[in-house]
Amino acid sequence: METISIGLLGLGTVGTGVVKIIENHQDKIMHQIGCPVKVKKILVKNIDKDRDVSIATDMLTTNPDEILNDPEIDVIIEVMGGVEETKKKLLHALENRKHVVTANKDLMAVHGAKLLQVASDNNCDLFYEASVAGGIPIIRGLVDGLASDHITKMMGIVNGTTNFILTKMTKQGKAYEEVLEEAQRLGFAESDPTSDVEGLDAARKMTILATLGFSMNISLEDVKVEGITKVTEEDIQYGKQLGYTMKLIGFAHRQDEKVEVSVQPAFLIDSHPLAAVNNEFNAVYVYGEAVGETMFYGPGAGSMPTATAVVSDLVNVLKNMRLGVNGKTATSPQFKKNLKKPDEMYSKYFLRLQVEDAVGVFAEITSIFSENGVSFEKILQLPVKEKGMAEIVLITHHASLLNYENILIQLRDLSSVRTVKSSYRVEGGTK
Amino acid sequence: METISIGLLGLGTVGTGVVKIIENHQDKIMHQIGCPVKVKKILVKNIDKDRDVSIATDMLTTNPDEILNDPEIDVIIEVMGGVEETKKKLLHALENRKHVVTANKDLMAVHGAKLLQVASDNNCDLFYEASVAGGIPIIRGLVDGLASDHITKMMGIVNGTTNFILTKMTKQGKAYEEVLEEAQRLGFAESDPTSDVEGLDAARKMTILATLGFSMNISLEDVKVEGITKVTEEDIQYGKQLGYTMKLIGFAHRQDEKVEVSVQPAFLIDSHPLAAVNNEFNAVYVYGEAVGETMFYGPGAGSMPTATAVVSDLVNVLKNMRLGVNGKTATSPQFKKNLKKPDEMYSKYFLRLQVEDAVGVFAEITSIFSENGVSFEKILQLPVKEKGMAEIVLITHHASLLNYENILIQLRDLSSVRTVKSSYRVEGGTK
């Protein structure tokens, strides 16, 4: 019986997990594909480094060509990260007719379309389930499970670090900086957390999900991104009082074949299934016209969940090899990209203002809303410490982004409005 | 371009949904499979019945052979329900080399192994995603998404009727009978609700999930079943006080290659992701050794969600036809069935007793537990209206079913124990 040989690019925690799973689940994999699988060669930076897994030194190399040009290697698993250099290596692999499995969301968000095209041209599989929410088979869910539905909305909690931080801020009433430090100490946040807390990581994942779910070539530049660094515990507590939970949400909406994709901190009504997704967990909520509401929940990152998704993709590549159908199972996007304009993007908003506590101020503010055709779902006026001032928290009914931004400009111009303290998108609640 | 012809068995709400989705999503389906699809013939009981969809009368037939023997029909979609007669029809279809998609959990739970064998012998696909939790692509998740993991635990809220009833009992403090009536009025429960409330429907679904997730031929008789008809609002409120939520849970556990499958009302710790799955929604929680906790959430039933799952399966059959690989994508079970014995089934338990309020009674009761090697996680003693009586609510640490049943027998023998009011399995909490 022939053995299928794998080349592994990268031997960090995910790569080590992949090696372990392939070893420990050899029987199960053989049962599914009918022949043994082995990792033949592994690209590393430093051959002599101490590792968490026992691997013969002659399996390690620092020269990628020893893997990419080895005719015995059928499948390349890429878990080294990086974008431009890694893209070159994978293009090289695909041109050598090697199937590719990657966990690299940065790469897929930026060069996914090109790589998938080259894979298809060479009759190769290119699978990337692990690139979004490692532990959740969401990509397969979108491609196969909801294949016949028309997906109109996806909302994702797709970054574990920010969900951990917001959960702690919500449940323990702590400030952002304090929780960030705790997250760094526990290993849930990097020492440079920028890519997570500024929403970039989530934006890359939403790019991949929107491309698949809407069958449209969405690029990273199409995603409007706002991070969580300005979210205050006060905002979170006000939301709580009104029945909302703060989450960093990746939104992808489609209406009349026009789409919008964004990542931003948003208030979800407490009964929304995503509102109960806490700590470092991820979840993707999908609304399909026929199926209604579904949600996929699981660990978003972590070396073993990601390695599991990588090996699942590998098993699917191997099944396709056995069936002789590699490179034929993907479909190119069905629709031309068509992005919504600000007057077509509708949402509810949470707005917190500090205003002068004087006769007529309230009327002045509300008239700006009504002039722009926007009405309210909830209004809360609160006293503040400073004499002569009041705080107003508003939740609007659905408003177009254009109208809402006009309102913000006009409010900032009002002499009676001291500051627009914060403003968030709101999802759920009375229609 | 050739058109692929479908034969439909049954034109109830699901069948009607299938016809509508195939019509409305013709473009999307064509984009995925490269040729048009049409429903050619539909088996109905009564041709002249008024229907919610406009269908030419000559497409309808009351004679199954017109469909099963039509050489032009490539795929049979079965949405008529029933077990023995339907099994005969599908065997006939498979023997005529027609692929089959079915939404029939009763059939698959009882005759799944046989039907899958005949499908494989005839190089035909037999897909049944819609048979469990219609709107959730859980079967594909188990087969493909978690393909390389070792699943040790599945817990499912897989019956919408009972989840609706328990949710209302929990949130509104109403009695079982009252909520059942409401559910019947709203169409969430049948006029004869037996199969739902006694747990049989859930047991059939757990049979299918356990067979797939553990790669073992589990049959319906292997599933220990208990329904929700004896659950009282009092029990639910006691659980609430202790931080637990009552759900009808399908359990499937595997340890050292031995498994147990059961359906029973159980208390989940409030922080468990399944505890937040409310109303008629379904969810399946899966624990894999590598991936950790994942959950699939969505509508469990309803004609459109079920029809979506059916058409997704159809699209996968059609993709396989295009690739020429029908009947080769399923794998037979990997392991021989090996069921746990009562001394190998471990769980925590909630137990509610009415006892005499006298000196020494408490010690008498607790000594029975310690003699059987079972300790407590929580104990709550409460006064009751009746003079001289007390109520004790206990939550045990993990105990084997054998030990726990011994304890119940010994408690019932004690003269100081008036009644064992209720007893439930408990999931989650301190280890």
Side-chain angles (χ1 to χ4, degrees):
Chain A
M1 203 170 358
E2 205 194 347
T3 296
I4 292 177
S5 294
I6 313 291
L8 189 61
L9 309 182
L11 190 57
T13 52
V14 176
T16 308
V18 168
V19 171
K20 283 183 189 166
I21 294 175
I22 292 177
E23 271 180 25
N24 298 344
H25 294 268
Q26 191 62 232
D27 283 356
K28 183 165 184 182
I29 296 171
M30 267 192 67
H31 178 77
Q32 291 181 82
I33 62 162
C35 68
V37 179
K38 70 154 201 264
V39 177
K40 188 183 175 195
K41 208 95 195 178
I42 305 173
L43 179 68
V44 294
K45 279 192 204 131
N46 173 1
I47 289 182
D48 301 319
K49 191 177 150 188
D50 270 348
R51 294 174 206 282
D52 188 24
V53 61
S54 76
I55 289 178
T57 317
D58 65 353
M59 278 178 65
L60 304 179
T61 176
T62 54
N63 176 6
D65 290 340
E66 277 191 37
I67 296 173
L68 303 177
N69 293 334
D70 182 340
E72 279 185 8
I73 288 180
D74 303 294
V75 187
I76 300 291
I77 293 178
E78 185 272 304
V79 287
M80 60 189 287
V83 177
E84 297 306 329
E85 282 306 308
T86 309
K87 176 193 172 197
K88 280 183 208 156
K89 289 189 183 69
L90 296 191
L91 286 175
H92 184 157
L94 292 167
E95 281 153 5
N96 281 349
R97 311 234 159 193
K98 298 185 191 313
H99 311 295
V100 170
V101 174
T102 177
N104 193 328
K105 64 179 168 299
D106 303 13
L107 177 65
M108 289 306 293
V110 178
H111 297 302
K114 167 76 178 168
L115 286 162
L116 286 164
Q117 186 56 53
V118 175
S120 166
D121 293 346
N122 287 282
N123 284 329
C124 284
D125 284 334
L126 167 58
F127 289 161
Y128 52 100
E129 180 72 74
S131 66
V132 180
I136 319 172
I138 173 67
I139 290 184
R140 202 152 282 122
L142 290 179
V143 173
D144 287 335
L146 303 168
S148 69
D149 203 352
H150 184 74
I151 293 169
T152 56
K153 190 194 251 186
M154 289 182 281
M155 286 169 59
I157 295 178
V158 288
N159 180 273
T161 305
T162 48
N163 200 40
F164 179 88
I165 293 173
L166 292 175
T167 302
K168 294 284 168 195
M169 287 176 73
T170 305
K171 303 236 163 186
Q172 302 174 357
K174 289 184 186 163
Y176 170 75
E177 290 76 15
E178 189 183 349
V179 180
L180 174 60
E181 265 176 41
E182 186 186 341
Q184 285 170 323
R185 221 168 37 238
L186 294 171
F188 288 124
E190 308 276 339
S191 54
D192 175 5
T194 315
S195 151
D196 291 317
V197 298
E198 294 295 359
L200 302 174
D201 175 80
R204 293 189 188 106
K205 291 167 181 167
M206 290 310 295
T207 305
I208 297 171
L209 290 181
T211 298
L212 275 173
F214 297 155
S215 198
M216 214 179 262
N217 258 330
I218 305 294
S219 46
L220 190 52
E221 297 77 50
D222 301 326
V223 185
K224 211 186 93 190
V225 187
E226 191 191 323
I228 63 162
T229 53
K230 287 174 202 149
V231 174
T232 66
E233 40 176 322
E234 268 184 333
D235 292 337
I236 291 179
Q237 297 310 323
Y238 279 129
K240 244 188 184 176
Q241 282 179 41
L242 293 165
Y244 295 95
T245 304
M246 170 74 74
K247 295 286 177 192
L248 182 69
I249 299 289
F251 288 95
H253 282 201
R254 166 158 68 175
Q255 199 183 15
D256 306 331
E257 301 316 321
K258 291 195 167 189
V259 304
E260 63 169 301
V261 188
S262 66
V263 170
Q264 58 204 145
F267 277 118
L268 301 182
I269 190 140
D270 287 343
S271 58
H272 195 288
L274 285 174
V277 175
N278 286 319
N279 300 317
E280 75 278 16
F281 280 92
N282 280 205
V284 180
Y285 168 96
V286 180
Y287 190 90
E289 273 181 3
V291 78
E293 304 182 88
T294 62
M295 188 174 81
F296 300 74
Y297 167 100
S303 52
M304 289 311 278
T306 305
T308 311
V310 165
V311 181
S312 285
D313 272 353
L314 172 66
V315 169
N316 279 285
V317 170
L318 301 177
K319 281 184 185 170
N320 283 349
M321 284 174 70
R322 179 177 54 110
L323 300 170
V325 296
N326 296 105
K328 300 195 177 82
T329 50
T331 49
S332 50
Q334 188 180 359
F335 303 108
K336 229 180 138 269
K337 181 165 73 184
N338 193 354
L339 298 175
K340 282 192 196 172
K341 294 184 191 67
D343 63 336
E344 298 167 319
M345 299 177 186
Y346 278 79
S347 177
K348 298 181 190 184
Y349 292 95
F350 167 104
L351 180 66
R352 199 178 137 209
L353 304 170
Q354 274 202 354
V355 302
E356 276 176 33
D357 191 6
V359 175
V361 170
F362 203 82
E364 208 175 20
I365 291 168
T366 52
S367 71
I368 289 180
F369 280 83
S370 57
E371 279 161 23
N372 285 281
V374 176
S375 57
F376 304 111
E377 184 171 305
K378 283 176 188 165
I379 301 179
L380 196 68
Q381 180 159 350
L382 302 142
V384 286
K385 279 176 199 156
E386 197 181 340
K387 220 180 136 82
M389 299 300 294
E391 187 146 316
I392 298 179
V393 175
L394 303 166
I395 299 212
T396 70
H397 282 299
H398 278 94
S400 78
L401 182 59
L402 186 72
N403 285 342
Y404 184 68
E405 286 183 340
N406 274 337
I407 290 172
L408 288 183
I409 292 168
Q410 288 172 265
L411 287 174
R412 287 197 175 100
D413 272 352
L414 274 191
S415 62
S416 55
V417 172
R418 168 83 67 88
T419 18
V420 175
K421 296 277 279 189
S422 55
S423 165
Y424 300 103
R425 191 164 169 165
V426 171
E427 186 72 26
T430 32
K431 299 246 158 133
Chain B
M1 202 169 0
E2 205 193 344
T3 295
I4 292 176
S5 294
I6 313 291
L8 188 61
L9 309 183
L11 190 59
T13 52
V14 176
T16 307
V18 168
V19 172
K20 284 184 187 165
I21 294 176
I22 292 176
E23 271 181 25
N24 298 344
H25 294 268
Q26 190 63 231
D27 284 356
K28 183 166 184 182
I29 296 170
M30 267 192 69
H31 177 77
Q32 291 180 83
I33 62 163
C35 69
V37 180
K38 70 154 203 265
V39 176
K40 189 183 174 194
K41 209 94 196 180
I42 306 173
L43 179 68
V44 294
K45 280 193 206 130
N46 173 0
I47 289 183
D48 301 319
K49 190 178 153 188
D50 270 347
R51 293 174 207 280
D52 187 24
V53 62
S54 76
I55 289 177
T57 316
D58 63 356
M59 278 177 67
L60 305 178
T61 176
T62 53
N63 176 7
D65 290 339
E66 277 191 38
I67 296 173
L68 303 176
N69 295 334
D70 182 342
E72 279 185 10
I73 287 179
D74 304 294
V75 187
I76 300 291
I77 293 178
E78 185 272 304
V79 287
M80 59 190 288
V83 177
E84 298 306 329
E85 282 306 307
T86 310
K87 176 193 172 196
K88 280 184 208 155
K89 290 190 181 70
L90 296 190
L91 286 175
H92 185 159
L94 291 167
E95 280 153 5
N96 281 348
R97 312 235 156 190
K98 300 186 191 309
H99 310 296
V100 170
V101 173
T102 175
N104 193 327
K105 65 179 168 302
D106 304 13
L107 177 65
M108 288 307 292
V110 178
H111 298 301
K114 167 77 178 167
L115 286 162
L116 286 163
Q117 186 57 52
V118 175
S120 166
D121 293 346
N122 287 282
N123 284 329
C124 285
D125 284 335
L126 167 58
F127 289 161
Y128 51 101
E129 180 72 74
S131 66
V132 180
I136 318 173
I138 174 66
I139 291 182
R140 204 152 280 125
L142 290 179
V143 174
D144 287 336
L146 303 169
S148 69
D149 203 351
H150 184 73
I151 293 168
T152 55
K153 191 194 250 185
M154 290 182 281
M155 286 168 59
I157 295 176
V158 288
N159 179 273
T161 305
T162 47
N163 201 39
F164 179 89
I165 292 173
L166 291 175
T167 302
K168 295 283 167 196
M169 287 177 73
T170 304
K171 304 236 163 184
Q172 302 174 359
K174 289 183 184 163
Y176 169 76
E177 291 75 16
E178 189 182 349
V179 179
L180 174 61
E181 265 178 40
E182 187 186 341
Q184 284 170 325
R185 222 168 36 239
L186 293 171
F188 288 123
E190 309 277 339
S191 54
D192 175 4
T194 315
S195 151
D196 291 317
V197 299
E198 295 295 359
L200 302 174
D201 175 80
R204 292 188 189 108
K205 292 168 181 166
M206 291 311 295
T207 304
I208 298 171
L209 290 181
T211 297
L212 276 173
F214 297 154
S215 197
M216 215 179 263
N217 259 330
I218 305 294
S219 47
L220 189 53
E221 297 78 50
D222 302 325
V223 185
K224 212 186 92 189
V225 187
E226 190 191 324
I228 63 162
T229 52
K230 287 174 202 150
V231 175
T232 67
E233 40 175 325
E234 269 185 334
D235 293 336
I236 291 179
Q237 297 310 322
Y238 280 129
K240 243 188 183 174
Q241 282 179 41
L242 294 166
Y244 296 96
T245 305
M246 172 73 74
K247 297 284 177 195
L248 182 69
I249 299 289
F251 288 95
H253 283 201
R254 166 158 67 175
Q255 199 183 14
D256 307 330
E257 302 316 323
K258 289 197 168 187
V259 305
E260 63 169 298
V261 188
S262 67
V263 169
Q264 56 203 146
F267 278 119
L268 302 180
I269 191 141
D270 287 343
S271 58
H272 196 287
L274 285 173
V277 175
N278 287 322
N279 300 318
E280 75 279 18
F281 280 92
N282 279 205
V284 180
Y285 168 96
V286 180
Y287 191 90
E289 273 181 2
V291 78
E293 303 181 90
T294 62
M295 188 175 82
F296 300 74
Y297 167 99
S303 53
M304 289 312 276
T306 305
T308 311
V310 166
V311 182
S312 286
D313 272 353
L314 173 66
V315 169
N316 280 284
V317 170
L318 302 177
K319 281 184 185 171
N320 282 349
M321 283 175 71
R322 180 177 53 110
L323 300 169
V325 296
N326 296 103
K328 300 195 177 82
T329 50
T331 50
S332 50
Q334 187 181 359
F335 303 107
K336 225 179 141 272
K337 182 166 73 182
N338 192 354
L339 298 175
K340 282 192 198 173
K341 294 184 191 68
D343 63 337
E344 297 167 319
M345 300 177 183
Y346 277 79
S347 177
K348 298 183 190 183
Y349 292 94
F350 167 104
L351 180 66
R352 200 177 136 210
L353 304 170
Q354 275 202 354
V355 302
E356 275 176 33
D357 191 7
V359 176
V361 170
F362 203 81
E364 208 176 22
I365 290 168
T366 52
S367 72
I368 290 181
F369 280 83
S370 56
E371 279 160 25
N372 285 281
V374 176
S375 57
F376 303 111
E377 184 172 305
K378 283 176 187 163
I379 301 179
L380 196 68
Q381 179 159 351
L382 301 142
V384 286
K385 279 178 199 155
E386 197 181 338
K387 217 178 138 86
M389 298 300 294
E391 187 144 317
I392 298 179
V393 175
L394 304 165
I395 301 214
T396 70
H397 282 299
H398 278 94
S400 79
L401 182 59
L402 186 71
N403 285 340
Y404 185 68
E405 287 184 339
N406 274 337
I407 290 172
L408 288 182
I409 292 169
Q410 289 173 263
L411 287 174
R412 287 197 175 101
D413 272 352
L414 273 191
S415 62
S416 55
V417 172
R418 168 84 67 91
T419 17
V420 174
K421 295 279 279 189
S422 54
S423 165
Y424 299 104
R425 191 163 169 165
V426 171
E427 186 72 26
T430 33
K431 297 244 160 131

